[in-house]
Amino acid sequence: MKIYLIGYMGSGKSTLGKGLADALGISWLDLDTEIETRYKISIPDFFSKYGETAFRDVEHKVLNDIALLPDLVVSTGGGVPCFHNNMELMNQTGLTIYLNATPALILTRIGPYAWKRPLFQKMDGTDTLEKITEHLKAREMYYQQAQIKVDAAIPDIKELKNQILDYFGKTTA
Ligand code: S3P
């Protein structure tokens, strides 16, 4: 059973990913960390050295490799569903779960750490909420292709676990 967590930066994909993997008794993998380990470079450094297009190509390549692995919860980067045929690939090789977060929640979560995120490094801090709102709106059409949608403010791991087991035709332990 392979599960892909998708959603905007700061929606809680890593935290929920770890929790879900524990609950299901399978491994957890973070796509950004996998890229950093493989290419021996941090994501912000990759962006500044090679640019976003090269990053999206690498992201796609690593996702393709991960898609071949069995039982796994994968926390993806926020842009993954929006490039190449990644969304289709994830829907074909596993169960996609969208962590739906409001711009306000996103701002609260990433605000203090915005400098760590390449897509926010250029922001001056004054109209960040509007920028997030606009960006999220543009990405929504990809995120909405997920098979399960969850409220990022209150993800219920127990309920989600049941939905997942149901999807894969397994019974709750
Ligand atoms: C990105 C999100 C980041 C990371 C990169 C680009 C995006 O991951 O992949 O900075 O395009 O939304 P997180 O969603 O884990 O922060």
Side-chain angles (χ1 to χ4, degrees), residues 159-172:
E159 158 70 21
L160 204 48
K161 180 184 167 184
N162 287 338
Q163 277 181 272
I164 291 167
L165 293 177
D166 224 36
Y167 177 87
F168 288 104
K170 307 209 172 184
T171 45
T172 316

Side-chain angles (χ1 to χ4, degrees), residues 7-14 30-32 35 43-44 47 52 55-56 59 75-83 110 116-120 135 139 143:
Y8 204 77
M9 289 171 267
S11 57
K13 291 164 293 183
S14 299
D30 182 87
L31 185 57
D32 279 340
I35 294 171
I43 302 293
F47 264 77
E52 182 173 357
F55 176 74
R56 297 306 174 193
E59 200 173 47
S75 297
T76 64
V80 169
C82 320
F83 295 87
I110 69 169
K116 278 190 180 175
R117 323 243 175 186
L119 297 182
F120 286 108
H135 199 203
R139 287 183 163 185
Y143 293 153

